[in-house]
Amino acid sequence: MSDIFINQAGYRPDSIKKALMPFPAETFEIVGTDGSVCAAGSTVYAGTDKNSGDVLYTADFSDFSERGSFRIRAGNKTSELFEIGEGVYEKALDCTSKAFYYLRCGCGLLEKYAGSFRHGVCHKSRGLLWENRDVSSEISGGWHDAGDYGRYVTAGVCALAHLLYGYILFPTAFGRQKLNIPESGGVLPDILAECRYELDWLLKMQREDGAVYHKATTAHHAPFIMPEDDRAQMFVFPVSTSAAADLAAVCALASRVYRQFDGDYSARLYEAAQRSFGWLEKNPGFIGFNNPPGCATGVYGESSDDDNRFWAAAELFAASGDDRYRNAVRAAAEKDFSLTDFGCYSVGGLGALSYVLSAGGDSDLIKRFEDGFISEAYRLKELSDNCGYGAAMSENDYGWGSNMNLLKHGMIFAIADRCFGKREFRKYAQAQADVLFGVNALGISYVTGIGGHCCRYPHLRPAYADGVEECIPGMVCGGPNRNLDDQEAKKIIKPGTPPMKCFADNVGCYSLNEIAIYWNSPAVFLLAYLSL
């Protein structure tokens, strides 16, 4: 580990480039791989950062645009190696996008696509309905959700939404991708082929009446074994209104995206969205989900479905222009939930984004939603300006999966620029990527396989069980969590540790170091934006 913190994914020649040093230094040098000094400069005292406790000095080398690989040196300390070049974000984008392929369920990963991370066919058995074991369902496919082998509708939908909106807003970034997945070279861009793999599974989770089963998992998490060795009985768990609304939303969204490539598939997605929305209209009360006795896998429970129903109405309006959905948007928007959040448990921002981008929406709602995004961007800007590392994070944001908060905030900055012309926020979007890749209080890149000092031991079953020393690349780890929600984390990290330093690259620290599909997806969105 180095004491000079840089973005280990690299910098574009024309971008802002800053290294952070938690020690006194008056000058710094940029050195090449042969040790030669390429440039030099003076540092600036940046003060004490609240969420890390670090006294920081900044080395700003934004004017240095030479292409190549370099390190920052100050005194006898040097940074990790980093690259300056036009394609640095494209490389990181491809790496984090390919991660979804490695998480596919219901198939084997072949060596020609997965290399040393190949594995056999997994989880092909039919799932039994938890409430009626005499009934089974074919529910293979989709993505393993996180460090476990479960598949959860609301989590998968959240990841899909980030990826699909990334494609809608930044299609050029994805048009050039060659991810080396089985569908590469086909009609669909690779990212949409990968999304379809998850969408096809979601459609299996919908009942004929439009209700949607909440999850497909075993009764208990598997031990740390390879996916093909997890042969415990798979179950399909009861329906929830959140799952139905989220499926309606993402299927309507996807129907628009896939229309130009496959009209029949687009129509199938739209019909599924309508069916679930119709079921929701017949079931206006909230139907939540909690694990039934005997089940101990993930819950993804919510206390309300107001934001989910709002998002579903907004996406169906965007896909159809139908006043039925327009009126539903207006009614739902009067309820109390965030209209700027893109999280797994709070999807109101996705509905607002959908409505703002759709044609024919009511002008007063469009202005309300747009003003909300811009106001949120300015709130986050202030957080970033007051953080020595540039993270747009409050102390409370450092909870379980804090890197999702970091990346969602990066999405807000990107949307404020791309959708509303607020160019000033681009540098703040980049700053969140800088934090993710190493400009943070531990100097660690939170993405496996990116950087010399990156996460290598995530809470991820196949990464532990595959016998391969190198970690599966492109996985975004959860990040610092001041709450230390697992026993291993409590053992390793001392009480009173500053929030930004509450992290350990330890496979046992699932509240710090697990991966999740909906932590990767906002990284893909942000990197697609930054690559243009």
Side-chain angles (χ1 to χ4, degrees), residues 255 258-269:
S255 74
Y258 288 86
R259 189 176 298 150
Q260 63 175 306
F261 301 104
D262 187 336
D264 290 342
Y265 189 60
S266 171
R268 182 184 173 200
L269 290 166

Side-chain angles (χ1 to χ4, degrees), residues 1-11 19-20 29-33 61 69-73 77-83 437-439 442-445 450-454 456:
M1 171 182 169
S2 168
D3 290 326
I4 300 176
F5 305 146
I6 48 86
N7 181 334
Q8 296 174 59
Y11 302 88
L20 272 295
E29 297 172 327
I30 304 171
V31 297
T33 53
F61 56 107
S69 297
F70 308 94
R71 298 180 192 271
I72 301 297
R73 184 167 65 197
K77 301 179 187 295
T78 58
S79 73
E80 296 290 342
L81 194 68
F82 63 90
E83 180 183 352
F437 292 117
V439 184
L442 298 176
I444 191 170
S445 167
I450 296 183
H453 179 47
C454 66
R456 301 179 190 276

